[in-house]
Amino acid sequence: MGKKLKSVYGTMISGISDGLTGSALYEYVTYNCQHASEKRICRASLLALADARVQDRSVLEHIYQLAVHNRLGALSRQA
């Protein structure tokens, strides 16, 4: 995992730990991590879903929600 992706991943996990969800989490990640792009957020979300250390169901649901929301938002902006 590269430094930029690791930075996005860490910011995302810390935002979830602070209780952020949905668009608030997305805004937190993009504001606090200068390397956050749509692609990196999706990749970091997939890494978090595959990480064995992340076991809390609600955390996994919020990560999944962020990845899907971010990806669908990118698709709708392209159309």
Side-chain angles (χ1 to χ4, degrees):
M1 180 176 355
K3 289 181 182 179
K4 294 177 183 177
L5 187 59
K6 203 179 273 191
S7 173
V8 173
Y9 176 82
T11 305
M12 182 177 54
I13 295 297
S14 69
I16 291 172
S17 298
D18 291 342
L20 299 174
T21 61
S23 61
L25 178 60
Y26 177 78
E27 290 175 13
Y28 176 81
V29 171
T30 55
Y31 180 78
N32 290 314
C33 186
Q34 64 184 358
H35 305 294
S37 66
E38 294 170 3
K39 182 178 178 179
R40 283 196 186 106
I41 290 173
C42 285
R43 290 182 72 196
S45 299
L46 292 174
L47 286 171
L49 290 172
D51 191 354
R53 294 175 292 177
V54 181
Q55 296 180 352
D56 186 16
R57 180 183 173 95
S58 64
V59 170
L60 292 171
E61 287 177 357
H62 294 306
I63 291 170
Y64 181 74
Q65 181 185 31
L66 177 66
V68 169
H69 176 72
N70 187 31
R71 187 63 186 142
L72 290 177
L75 292 175
S76 67
R77 286 189 292 273
Q78 290 177 355

